[in-house]
Amino acid sequence: MSDTKQAPAWTVADIPDLSGRTVVVTGPTLGGLGHHTALELARKGAYVVLAGRTLSKVDDTVSAIRAEVPGAQLETLQLDLASLDSVREAAAAAAVFGPIDVLVNNAGVMGTSYSRTEDGLELQMATNHFGPFLLTGLLLPQLAASGEGRVVSVSSNMHQFARKAPLADPKTKKGRYARWRVYSQSKLANLLFTAELDRRLRAAKKPVVAVAAHPGFAGTHLVANGQTGRSSGGLASILNGTVRGISQSPAAGAWPSLMAATDDLPGNTYVGPSGLQQMTGTPRIVGRTKLARDEDAARKLWEISEETVGLRYP
Ligand SMILES: NC(=O)c1ccc[n+]([C@@H]2O[C@H](COP(=O)([O-])OP(=O)(O)OC[C@H]3O[C@@H](n4cnc5c(N)ncnc54)[C@H](OP(=O)(O)O)[C@@H]3O)[C@@H](O)[C@H]2O)c1
């Protein structure tokens, strides 16, 4: 008989008191993972900065969180990750928040039709990787100033469908655009970014760790947003209903991000659901593909990203 005891499953009850801590959560739209991540952090007393591209939507989330947590300490920040100028403006505006304990790079788009941003970048790579890369670099001094900073990147099970890392010139279109391949590559990029960021932070002796999480499959607006460009009405509402019928709730989907943001974990840890195929369930530490552990690819992606956003760090 084995005497190894299984550790009890992590739940939101394990989140410590976060009074005095400042957390920035990107993409906090009502009903999404960012909303539920922000809600639980606020419930534990954190000062939560909700960073979204549409301030009226962010205000809706503020109202919803305040309805559940009357004393919630919330701030809002305008941030469009698909615009490097907007990211720079948001980071400059974030200076007033002082030291930042945790940055949750949650916002993202999935399976969008082909388009290029004002910076000449493909939309999914811009929103899911390059924007967060720049934001993280610009907020790094504030993360380090907290003395124990943490960067959480929200990746996906879909990273495993990427056959190669996105290492081509991001401003040049080569071949046919395949929306799901590019999404998978952007989520692989989140894991390569986490590994390389953590490695560089250690080398630079910065008091910040980088970790990653994925929600499994959660009933948010991600599918509707990606396929219709809107989160409700018409086909978007049909897609939302279909996804909700076969997935876990957005509240449950936020648990891996919450564990990654608050549990005592070593750098470069990846957290995901513990259930079948990591689709649902309480969070635990999970593995990642060989490509996501490719140090050479991580280094190259970092160099391309620095060049693309015009910022070298740490
Ligand atoms: N749901 C799942 O099953 C699932 C699975 C794997 C990974 N994920 C990841 O989880 C994260 C959160 O997604 P979700 O499922 O909560 O989807 P969601 O409900 O669509 O939320 C996505 C959030 O990202 C924001 N966003 C999109 N483009 C942006 C931009 N250019 N600048 C700033 N914010 C932007 C959205 O804002 P708007 O409301 O203004 O569009 C929204 O707040 C994403 O990174 C996604 O890849 C989700």
Side-chain angles (χ1 to χ4, degrees), residues 221 224-225 228 230-241:
H221 301 118
N225 274 335
T228 69
R230 48 201 270 207
S231 56
S232 64
L235 178 60
S237 295
I238 295 169
L239 287 171
N240 284 337

Side-chain angles (χ1 to χ4, degrees), residues 27 29 33 53 57 80-81 106 155 183 187 216 218 220-221 225:
T29 302
L33 302 177
R53 63 177 158 174
K57 285 189 178 184
D80 181 354
L81 288 161
N106 163 80
S155 180
Y183 178 70
K187 293 288 125 177
T220 66
H221 301 118
N225 274 335

Side-chain angles (χ1 to χ4, degrees), residues 179-220:
R179 60 178 78 196
W180 299 109
R181 186 192 67 212
V182 173
Y183 178 70
S184 303
Q185 287 184 318
S186 75
K187 293 288 125 177
L188 170 66
N190 296 153
L191 290 175
L192 293 172
F193 167 67
T194 298
E196 185 65 7
L197 173 60
D198 197 67
R199 191 186 73 73
R200 286 177 184 245
L201 289 167
R202 297 285 73 68
K205 298 195 176 356
K206 298 270 181 193
V208 181
V209 295
V211 295
H214 82 84
F217 187 26
T220 66

Side-chain angles (χ1 to χ4, degrees), residues 23-163:
V23 184
V24 176
V25 180
T26 67
T29 302
L30 209 54
L33 302 177
H35 162 208
H36 288 278
T37 302
L39 170 64
E40 296 310 324
L41 296 170
R43 213 192 288 285
K44 292 291 181 158
Y47 177 70
V48 185
V49 179
L50 303 166
R53 63 177 158 174
T54 314
L55 278 182
S56 59
K57 285 189 178 184
V58 181
D59 288 341
D60 290 344
T61 305
V62 166
S63 303
I65 294 177
R66 288 237 162 88
E68 277 200 54
V69 185
Q73 298 183 77
L74 307 171
E75 282 289 344
T76 64
L77 181 67
Q78 168 115 49
L79 166 73
D80 181 354
L81 288 161
S83 157
L84 297 179
D85 274 347
S86 169
V87 175
R88 288 184 201 104
E89 280 163 27
V96 297
F97 303 129
I100 295 171
D101 295 274
V102 186
L103 165 64
V104 185
N105 283 319
N106 163 80
V109 288
M110 179 178 78
T112 47
S113 48
Y114 182 72
S115 79
R116 294 246 154 205
T117 66
E118 64 195 28
D119 304 297
L121 302 167
E122 184 283 320
L123 181 65
Q124 295 194 79
M125 280 300 296
T127 312
N128 298 356
H129 172 67
F130 289 111
F133 181 92
L134 178 58
L135 182 69
T136 304
L138 293 172
L139 295 185
L140 198 58
Q142 283 166 270
L143 285 155
S146 77
E148 216 184 343
R150 193 180 293 214
V151 178
V152 180
S153 294
V154 181
S155 180
S156 167
N157 260 333
M158 291 273 285
H159 87 270
Q160 59 193 303
F161 299 113
R163 298 262 168 82

